[in-house]
Each structure stands twice: as C-alpha cells, then as structure tokens.
Amino acid sequence: MNPQQQANILEVDNLNVYYGAFQAVNNVSFNVLQGEIFGLLGPNGAGKTSTLSAVEGLLKQQSGTVTVAGYDTLKKPQYARAAMGVQLQATSFQPELYVGDILELFASIYKVALTKDKLNALLSEINLADAGNKKFGQLSGGQQQRVSLAITTIHDPQLVLLDEPTSGLDPQSRRQLWTRIEAIREKGNGVLLTTHSMEEAEAVCDRISIIDHGRIIATGTPQSLIDKHRNDPEVIAVSRRGRITLEDVFIALTGSAIRS
Amino acid sequence: MEITLPKTSTVIAALLRADFTTLWRNRRAVVMTLLVPMIIVFSWKAYVAKAGGAFVLSNAITLGLVAIGLMGYPNSIARDREKGVFQRLRVSPLPLWTIMASRLIVQLGLILLLTVLVFISGYQFDHITMSVGGYACTFVAAIVGGAVYLSLGQVIVGLIQNPESVNSTARLVYFAFIMAGMLGQFEEFSGEFKKAVEWTPYGTVKTILASSLEPAKWDNHTNMALLLTLGYIVVFATLGIKWFKWNTK
C-alpha cells in the first residue's frame, strides 16, 4: 500500500510524561499507519516503555494527545483500548488458570465468540494444540509469547502494541514471531513495537523512531536512516563490520555509554 | 471502523468465572481457612452451655472472616499485582472497577459459604439452633463484618507493595486481632482490656454477629457496635483505595 494513501491508526502528538520531577517523555510525536510496522528504538531508560504505557493508558500524560483509531485515549479510553491489542513486556496471568481459560477470559472481555472448535483452531494456529489444559507458567518462553500474542490479537485489533516482544527468545521462536507480526501487517492493521534489537528493526519494521532521553532524535525507514548517516564521522568511528549498519547509526546517535 | 464495547455484565461474568476457577483450584488453602472456624465450634463445646450458642458461633464466624479478609484477599491481590495480572487486564477495554468488584464478589461468596458451614457444624457438633430470622440476619452481619476485614486487607495491600511483606504483615495483624479478640473475652483479663477489645474491629464484628444470631437481644450496645463497624469499613476502604497501586513499579 502506498504510504500516502494509508490512514493513521495511531497519532501521538507532543506527548510529555513525568515521574515526579523527572521527565521521561519529552514532546514526543509520531504516527503509525494502517498496515505498517513501526519500531520505537532506544537504549535502556530512553522512554520507550513510558511512551508505550501512555498509549496503552497505563500512564497518564501531563500534556499531549494520543489518538487510537480516532479515539482520544484520555477522552474515550475504553474505546481506544478496544481498538488496540497490547503485549506487555512482562505479562502474566493467574497461575491457576489454564491456557484455554485465559483465552476464553480475554475473548469475553473483547466480545469475541470463542466456541470450543474456535479455541482448538486458535491453539493449533499457534502450534499449541495440546496446551489448552496446561497452565501458562508451564509453557516455555517461546510458547508463552505465542499465547500472549494470540490473546493480544484475539479481537483482530486495528493497532497492536508489542513491548520488546522477542526479548529472551531463541532464533527460531524470534523468526516465527516476526512472521506472525508481518501477518498482522498483511491484514492492514498497524503495529507499534519497541525493541533493543537492530536486527529485528531492520528485518520487520517499515519505519522506526530512535528515542533517547525522552526525545525522538531520528525517524525514517531503517535504510533511509543508514543512508542519511552513512558518512557521519561518529557512525564511521563505531562501525565494526566494514559496512554501515542500523546499529552503527543507533550507537552513533545515542552514544556508546552503557545505560542503567 | 465503529468500535462496540462489551457489556459490563459480560465482562463481570468472565472475570467472575476466572476468579472462581482460581479459587476452586486453590481449594486446599480455602479448606484450611474454613476448617479453623469449624474446629472452634467443635472444640468450644463447653462454652455452649456456659455462654450460649450465639457466643460460640459468632466467634467462629468472626475468626473465619478475619482469615478471609486478612490472609486470603490481600495475598492474592499482592501476588497478581506483582505478576502483572492487573496490568494485563488494565490494557483491555473493561471498566477498572470490574476487576476489583469481581475479586470482592468471590470473597463475599466465600464468606457466605463460611457462615453456612459454621451453622451446619454448630448444629452437628453442639446442637445449636437459631430462629430463621437469626440465620438470615447473620448472613447480612457476616457480609458487613467481612467488609471490615476485606477493607483492612485492602489497606495492607495499598500500603505495602512487596507480596512477601504483605504476607508477613497480614499474618502479624491476623495474629494480633485473634489474640486480642479471643483473649479479651476471658474473665482472667482486666475489665479495661475487655472493654477496649469490645470496640476493636474483632469485638464490634463479634457483637453484631452475636446479636444477629439472637435478634431479640439486639440492644443499644449492638447499635453502637454496628455504627463503629460501618465506620471502620468507610475509613479502611477509603485509605485502601486511595493508597492502592495497580503495579509494583
């Protein structure tokens, strides 16, 4: 789809989030289009999760607006949340519930009719046909991520928010998850994901923003950012592979110092 | 695309199903909570003749209410908060109050079950029978009394974030209530101590329960105990809700 013709599914405008006197998000603005995977990249503590939390409604911004599928998250929070599917960084469910129970719970919350056959089909789709009677805590990390993504997308949301979805996964699980994320895009839904992995950003994101100290310092397609900064002395100085990568650009823009 | 929200009744029903399933799969802990009041009824046989059936039953129910409100409820809330269960629900389109309402309804169900079991064991072990009105009034009083301890549990989980600390604090408060409440009724203790215990949450709840079991004995003292009980609920619930945080970060 031509980006010019795509509508915004998420609009973040001059967002500011404070924790007491500390400003975690500073005048952040960006948009996610229908059928687009948008990556929010940044070092630890850069403001990625705070930005995402404000979009999700877990944090209340001090100023700025967030609009999901046309609904302002402060004025129509329930409608905005109904239009999105969220996978948090650390998601858990009541440990006594089986995977089938959890899927049924969230299907009801999102007003999705989930018959026994549909439940089985959903489990088969995520290669967990025999996991319906297992507890979430008994699943491996990759299996938990698949269940979590199935819950996130159970109502076919217009916007999917994924907070570091592949962290801690093995390469096979990561690749499989990328395929699932790309399938969401193919349906015409928007995806906003945060990640530390430049490989992931290059592999799946149509556009990215690099955020540091609460501010967005660069936005564009991964390739356009590489092209734009290819000849910067800072980028060349940190380059290690004889060719300029997104990671080189990222480190040059955000600095080499380790963040807490 | 037009968004339609799920009905609140549908959401509540889904949450209740999940919360009751959780309770059922924790039935060993639930049985232990319910067993203690029944043991009290069984072991206090001697007091039935001396102090009356209402005295024994009201103490047993009060003890169970303290256990449900101070041990079961805050620990489950603290654990789920720590695990991120609430955060996951908060990003879905359900009204926030439904999350807690479902949890509290489950606890109220447990309180009703406790009351029924105490009545049955009172009849079985000690042949205690009350009037129909007495049984009916006691159900209402048990709900009111349970609300005191649930709101006190809410204060604990509001003030303390760490689940282990919530657990240890709840145990400490539970122990303090039980010791002061039960020992305060025995004649060996001074009049001043007994009087003070009468107006603690343990004492007031026990008083309204005892009077509910024998409505004819409901007097001004019971009215005062009921008023104080309602006051405890308002204060504890207000503080518990005000201090409560949905996540531990």
Side-chain angles (χ1 to χ4, degrees):
Chain A
M1 205 185 293
N2 180 352
Q4 302 299 322
Q5 298 167 340
Q6 290 167 279
N8 282 335
I9 199 67
L10 170 67
E11 290 175 77
V12 177
D13 190 29
N14 285 318
L15 186 73
N16 287 289
V17 175
Y18 289 83
Y19 296 106
F22 174 72
Q23 186 165 17
V25 180
N26 190 344
N27 275 323
V28 162
S29 299
F30 64 91
N31 65 319
V32 178
L33 303 169
Q34 288 177 333
E36 178 184 50
I37 301 175
F38 188 92
L40 204 53
L41 278 63
N44 288 334
K48 302 185 297 290
T49 299
S50 296
T51 303
L52 214 56
S53 295
V55 175
E56 292 156 358
L58 291 176
L59 272 180
K60 198 172 174 187
Q61 67 264 33
Q62 272 66 32
S63 62
T65 57
V66 177
T67 311
V68 178
Y71 296 102
D72 187 306
T73 55
L74 290 184
K75 290 177 186 158
K76 294 262 182 189
Q78 271 183 271
Y79 285 89
R81 289 202 297 266
M84 60 175 121
V86 179
Q87 186 175 341
L88 299 169
Q89 214 174 84
T91 284
S92 191
F93 306 96
Q94 282 132 298
E96 295 85 0
L97 296 182
Y98 299 142
V99 170
D101 299 329
I102 297 167
L103 287 165
E104 281 174 4
L105 168 66
F106 281 90
S108 300
I109 288 174
Y110 285 107
K111 217 181 165 186
V112 175
L114 193 66
T115 60
K116 213 78 191 153
D117 288 342
K118 278 188 182 171
L119 173 65
N120 291 335
L122 182 61
L123 288 168
S124 298
E125 200 184 306
I126 56 172
N127 300 328
L128 285 171
D130 57 346
N133 290 325
K134 278 187 181 169
K135 290 177 179 168
F136 187 74
Q138 293 175 320
L139 305 178
S140 70
Q143 290 173 327
Q144 287 188 352
Q145 284 289 26
R146 284 185 340 246
V147 171
S148 198
L149 189 62
I151 291 165
T152 300
T153 56
I154 201 162
H155 57 303
D156 192 21
Q158 298 174 61
L159 175 69
V160 176
L161 305 175
L162 307 169
D163 197 1
E164 298 184 17
T166 56
S167 86
L169 295 186
D170 61 29
Q172 286 84 354
S173 302
R174 202 170 63 211
R175 288 289 171 101
Q176 204 176 61
L177 200 63
W178 288 353
T179 307
R180 291 181 193 283
I181 294 170
E182 283 164 346
I184 297 168
R185 173 177 57 191
E186 297 315 311
K187 283 185 183 174
N189 300 328
V191 178
L192 169 62
L193 65 86
T194 68
T195 182
H196 281 297
S197 165
M198 299 303 129
E199 184 196 358
E200 183 164 288
E202 281 194 85
V204 300
C205 292
D206 299 307
R207 282 190 307 140
I208 58 169
S209 273
I210 296 175
I211 186 169
D212 197 19
H213 300 296
R215 286 175 181 276
I216 286 186
I217 53 176
T219 299
T221 64
Q223 192 56 50
S224 74
L225 290 183
I226 293 170
D227 293 341
K228 186 178 173 188
H229 297 280
R230 181 179 298 280
N231 297 319
D232 292 359
E234 297 88 353
V235 174
I236 293 166
V238 297
S239 173
R240 293 168 65 101
R241 296 176 194 164
R243 65 183 177 87
I244 304 300
T245 63
L246 186 62
E247 187 164 295
D248 299 328
V249 174
F250 177 83
I251 289 176
L253 289 174
T254 59
S256 305
I258 292 172
R259 307 294 173 87
S260 58
Chain B
M1 194 193 291
E2 186 69 23
I3 302 275
T4 53
L5 296 177
K7 280 185 189 165
T8 305
S9 57
T10 311
V11 168
I12 285 269
L15 289 171
L16 279 174
R17 195 165 51 239
D19 289 338
F20 271 114
T21 304
T22 301
L23 186 74
W24 174 247
R25 291 191 185 140
N26 271 327
R27 54 190 177 274
R28 201 176 295 174
V30 173
V31 166
M32 291 310 292
T33 304
L34 298 175
L35 209 57
V36 176
M38 289 159 73
I39 291 170
I40 294 282
V41 174
F42 180 71
S43 60
W44 282 23
K45 241 178 184 160
Y47 280 101
V48 177
K50 202 172 160 189
F55 174 84
V56 173
L57 295 190
S58 62
N59 267 295
I61 295 172
T62 307
L63 200 79
L65 295 179
V66 178
I68 291 168
L70 291 181
M71 304 292 285
Y73 176 71
N75 282 323
S76 70
I77 296 288
R79 183 202 66 174
D80 287 350
R81 178 173 60 183
E82 171 80 4
K83 284 183 172 295
V85 173
F86 293 138
Q87 291 295 76
R88 186 63 193 80
L89 290 171
R90 283 180 69 206
V91 295
S92 64
L94 48 75
L96 273 188
W97 64 266
T98 58
I99 302 172
M100 279 304 171
S102 165
R103 298 292 176 118
L104 289 169
I105 290 169
V106 169
Q107 298 300 320
L108 292 178
L110 199 56
I111 287 168
L112 292 179
L113 179 64
L114 159 83
T115 312
V116 169
L117 289 176
V118 168
F119 286 159
I120 292 171
S121 46
Y123 179 76
Q124 285 291 325
F125 302 141
D126 306 329
H127 307 292
I128 301 170
T129 52
M130 299 288 161
S131 64
V132 176
Y135 285 126
C137 280
T138 308
F139 278 118
V140 179
I143 298 288
V144 173
V148 175
Y149 297 110
L150 289 172
S151 56
L152 187 56
Q154 185 73 34
V155 170
I156 293 171
V157 86
L159 270 177
I160 303 163
Q161 301 281 307
N162 181 285
E164 281 82 26
S165 304
V166 167
N167 188 19
S168 52
T169 307
R171 277 171 195 275
L172 206 68
V173 177
Y174 172 77
F175 187 71
F177 267 98
I178 297 303
M179 291 311 285
M182 291 182 78
L183 294 179
Q185 296 173 69
F186 295 108
E187 283 154 10
E188 290 80 3
F189 290 89
S190 71
E192 288 301 310
F193 181 67
K194 283 175 78 172
K195 202 169 269 180
V197 167
E198 259 181 35
W199 301 112
T200 62
Y202 186 99
T204 58
V205 169
K206 197 200 81 67
T207 301
I208 61 165
L209 278 167
S211 297
S212 300
L213 282 159
E214 295 173 303
K217 289 188 178 172
W218 190 287
D219 57 11
N220 218 24
H221 179 252
T222 315
N223 286 335
M224 288 303 290
L226 178 62
L227 273 177
L228 201 55
T229 301
L230 296 173
Y232 283 133
I233 295 170
V234 171
V235 172
F236 292 154
T238 305
L239 294 177
I241 292 167
K242 191 178 174 195
W243 290 333
F244 184 73
K245 287 194 174 76
W246 289 98
N247 63 11
T248 51
K249 285 178 185 163

